[in-house]
């Protein structure tokens, strides 16, 4: 399994000289398997460049798994080149809603006054799926999606092959349901998604003092991201959903803080996600 | 519906933490001064808050998870006229079985032997219209 980060910024794109190292594109992660299966996680602006590359690689079948429909996870879809190619089959998975189907909710982003072309007019063969309540498979990958603490219906994903496992929970505030360190994993939002995975991409938007002023906004402090990783026994934490105001320098301070917190935590490692980062899993 | 199902995918052992709705309900209850308990969709008592300890007479940590019915029976619930209340008439049972809200004034005997009059309001928790995940019961001291 190869995991590639195409966008790791939270909330809004942040182009500019102060974000060139870690990148300003919003959430998008590619998971590619040895058998050629492509699973794309979220459709933030990072998906735009990924789209061109997928077409160059001759990919014609793509699974897109959306965690939720906040704009920073959806806004790139309209500029995803495979969507505009009639030879492409695109399966879009996302959280169910009581009121409207996944397709109807996404179609809102493809309608006036937000966009000139209707979703029904895109050339690719698009199929929408509510994520199942239990595990399911895509080719040789096993997937699981579960609702997690974040405003509005939001899921995280676990993807596993025979030899490795990976979890993606980019927008997540588990501490809103109580201090993580004091709870058994049974009572921690997202715990079964990330339990024992080789690598976990997790929300770490804030320093601790910033989080205190943003409780309930749906994101985690770096300390809570580390505490969550420790509680679920994940091997490696990739700090994700970078706060838009955080420059490269500030992000490096956040990474230092994460490393301080992981010291003595049984070999747990933490690193910042950056655009172009590749995580090879066996 | 899932599409590309191929048998070569590794079998998935479904790991389950408590449903998100129960996790949030527990945190909500933890912050309430009103005695509140939570049971899951199988009728297992999974939590009651500190305020409920004064009604029950024991801390949740001492009791732990247990079938709600067993827990309820231990209080010998009866009407205010001391007529025994059958399990199926208890508000928690109605919320669990019939998945609708219910309310009843009851007399109970707590673990500490004290007789108490309480009103119980129980209501079902649905994560989705077709996904029942448990109940909340609130005890109002009379």
């Amino acid at each position: 399994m190869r995991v590639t980060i195409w966008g790791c910024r939270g909330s809004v794109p942040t182009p500019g000289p102060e974000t060139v190292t870690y990148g300003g594109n919003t959430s998008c992660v590619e998971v590619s398997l040895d058998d050629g299966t492509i699973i794309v996680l979220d459709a933030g602006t990072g998906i735009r460049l990924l789209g061109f590359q997928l077409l160059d690689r001759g990919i014609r079948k793509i699974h897109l798994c959306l965690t939720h429909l906040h704009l920073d996870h959806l806004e790139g879809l309209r500029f995803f080149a495979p969507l505009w190619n009639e030879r492409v089959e695109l399966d879009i998975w996302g959280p169910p809603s009581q009121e409207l189907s996944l397709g109807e909710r996404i179609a809102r982003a493809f309608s006036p006054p937000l966009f000139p072309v209707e979703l029904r007019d895109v050339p690719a063969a698009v199929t929408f799926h509510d994520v199942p309540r239990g595990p399911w498979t895509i080719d040789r990958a096993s997937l699981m999606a579960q609702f997690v603490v974040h405003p509005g219906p939001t899921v995280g994903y676990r993807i596993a092959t025979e030899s490795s496992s990976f979890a993606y929970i980019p927008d997540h505030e588990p501490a809103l349901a109580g201090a993580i360190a004091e709870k058994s994993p049974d009572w921690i939002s997202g715990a079964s998604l990330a339990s024992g995975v080789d690598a976990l991409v997790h929300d770490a938007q804030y320093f601790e003092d910033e989080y205190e002023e943003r409780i309930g906004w749906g994101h985690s402090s770096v300390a809570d991201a580390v505490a969550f990783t420790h509680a679920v026994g994940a091997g490696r934490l990739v700090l994700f959903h970078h706060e838009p105001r955080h420059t490269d320098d500030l992000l490096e301070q956040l990474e230092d803080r994460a490393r301080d917190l992981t010291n003595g935590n049984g070999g747990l490692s933490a690193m910042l996600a950056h655009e172009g980062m590749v995580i090879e899993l066996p | 519906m899932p599409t590309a199902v191929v048998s070569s995918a590794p079998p998935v052992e479904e790991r389950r933490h408590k449903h998100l709705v129960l996790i949030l309900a527990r945190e909500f209850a933890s912050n309430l001064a009103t005695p509140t308990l939570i049971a899951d969709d199988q009728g297992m008592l999974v939590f009651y808050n500190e305020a409920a300890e004064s009604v029950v007479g024991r801390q949740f940590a001492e009791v732990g998870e247990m079938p709600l019915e067993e827990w309820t029976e231990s209080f010998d619930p009866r009407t205010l006229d001391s007529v025994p209340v059958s399990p199926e008439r208890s508000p928690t049972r109605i919320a669990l079985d019939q998945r609708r809200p219910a309310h009843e004034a009851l007399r109970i005997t707590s673990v500490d032997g004290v007789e108490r009059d309480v009103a119980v309001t129980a209501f079902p928790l649905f994560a989705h219209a077709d996904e029942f995940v448990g109940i909340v019961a609130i005890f109002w001291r009379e």
Side-chain angles (χ1 to χ4, degrees):
Chain A
M1 189 189 311
R2 168 185 273 228
V3 177
T4 307
I5 308 290
W6 290 87
C8 47
R9 186 65 55 173
S11 309
V12 70
T14 57
E18 293 187 316
T19 58
V20 291
T21 305
Y22 297 97
N25 281 301
T26 52
S27 301
C28 181
V29 172
E30 174 196 1
V31 177
S32 56
L33 306 181
D34 293 344
D35 64 359
T37 301
I38 298 293
I39 300 170
V40 180
L41 298 164
D42 278 332
T45 57
I47 202 171
R48 195 179 70 85
L49 287 177
L50 168 61
F52 297 130
Q53 197 189 93
L54 290 175
L55 290 183
D56 287 347
R57 281 150 53 185
I59 303 293
R60 295 293 178 265
K61 174 74 178 177
I62 301 163
H63 292 270
L64 169 61
C65 295
L66 299 171
T67 55
H68 62 310
L69 304 185
H70 285 166
L71 267 185
D72 56 325
H73 295 255
L74 187 65
E75 62 197 326
L77 182 60
R78 295 169 292 200
F79 304 94
F80 184 46
L83 193 64
W84 305 98
N85 186 316
E86 63 189 12
R87 288 175 297 166
V88 169
E89 280 181 57
L90 178 63
D91 282 61
I92 302 181
W93 304 79
S97 153
Q98 293 282 101
E99 308 304 326
L100 293 172
S101 71
L102 181 64
E104 287 169 322
R105 283 175 285 144
I106 291 174
R108 289 172 168 171
F110 285 77
S111 61
L114 299 178
F115 201 63
V117 183
E118 301 279 347
L119 183 57
R120 63 172 174 266
D121 294 329
V122 302
V126 183
T127 310
F128 297 95
H129 310 270
D130 287 346
V131 290
R133 286 183 192 155
W136 81 103
T137 57
I138 293 175
D139 299 333
R140 290 183 181 169
S142 300
L143 283 86
M144 184 164 68
Q146 287 182 347
F147 284 94
V148 296
V149 176
H150 188 69
T154 303
V155 297
Y157 289 95
R158 179 189 184 99
I159 301 175
T161 63
E162 283 179 348
S163 54
S164 56
S165 56
F166 166 71
Y168 175 72
I169 318 179
D171 290 48
H172 190 205
E173 189 181 4
L176 194 63
I180 296 164
E182 295 167 11
K183 291 201 181 309
S184 78
D186 250 19
W187 283 101
I188 299 173
S189 163
S192 17
L193 292 171
S195 174
V197 290
D198 299 309
L200 165 65
V201 167
H202 194 278
D203 190 331
Q205 184 153 342
Y206 304 126
F207 288 96
E208 288 104 305
D209 58 339
E210 292 174 321
Y211 176 68
E212 291 303 315
E213 295 173 5
R214 294 167 178 81
I215 291 171
W217 289 24
H219 299 291
S220 285
S221 70
V222 60
D224 287 333
V226 169
F228 177 81
T229 307
H230 183 60
V232 301
R236 188 189 317 182
L237 167 63
V238 180
L239 307 161
F240 197 81
H241 210 271
H242 305 321
E243 160 64 32
R245 293 173 309 151
H246 288 176
T247 61
D248 290 335
D249 290 344
L250 269 174
L251 284 174
E252 281 160 12
Q253 290 175 34
L254 189 118
E255 185 177 52
D256 288 344
R257 176 67 184 142
R259 288 184 172 154
D260 286 346
L261 290 160
T262 55
N263 272 344
N265 252 341
L268 169 64
S269 73
M271 67 195 77
L272 286 167
H274 64 86
E275 285 178 27
M277 177 184 209
V278 176
I279 304 164
E280 295 278 3
L281 298 173
Chain B
M1 291 296 290
T3 48
V5 177
V6 172
S7 59
S8 56
V12 176
E13 182 192 338
E14 191 176 353
R15 298 171 183 83
R16 280 281 168 192
H17 53 252
K18 298 285 190 288
H19 195 286
L20 179 62
V21 169
L22 294 183
I23 291 174
L24 294 174
R26 173 180 160 148
E27 188 58 18
F28 174 61
S30 301
N31 286 281
L32 287 181
T34 314
T36 305
L37 73 77
I38 299 163
D40 67 14
D41 60 332
Q42 301 302 307
M44 186 67 74
L45 171 70
V46 292
F47 180 71
Y48 58 77
N49 64 5
E50 215 172 300
E53 290 170 5
S54 61
V55 177
V56 172
R58 291 173 75 185
Q59 294 183 345
F60 180 71
E62 296 173 55
V63 176
E65 294 192 8
M66 66 187 293
L68 182 62
E69 196 153 309
E70 188 182 318
W71 183 80
T72 306
E73 282 171 7
S74 69
F75 301 111
D76 187 22
R78 49 210 183 273
T79 66
L80 299 182
D81 302 325
S82 294
V83 177
V85 174
S86 62
E88 57 275 11
R89 268 194 56 206
S90 80
T92 51
R93 200 71 246 173
I94 291 170
L96 265 170
D97 293 347
Q98 301 177 34
R99 301 181 181 182
R100 65 176 176 85
H103 179 87
E104 189 80 59
L106 299 170
R107 180 163 294 158
I108 61 170
T109 304
S110 303
V111 173
D112 55 11
V114 176
E115 199 167 78
R116 292 183 167 93
D117 289 347
V118 296
V120 180
T121 304
F123 56 89
L125 297 171
F126 289 94
H128 296 94
D130 63 346
E131 190 181 12
F132 172 69
V133 297
I135 66 160
V136 169
I138 299 174
F139 295 75
W140 312 98
R141 294 188 187 92
E142 294 289 279

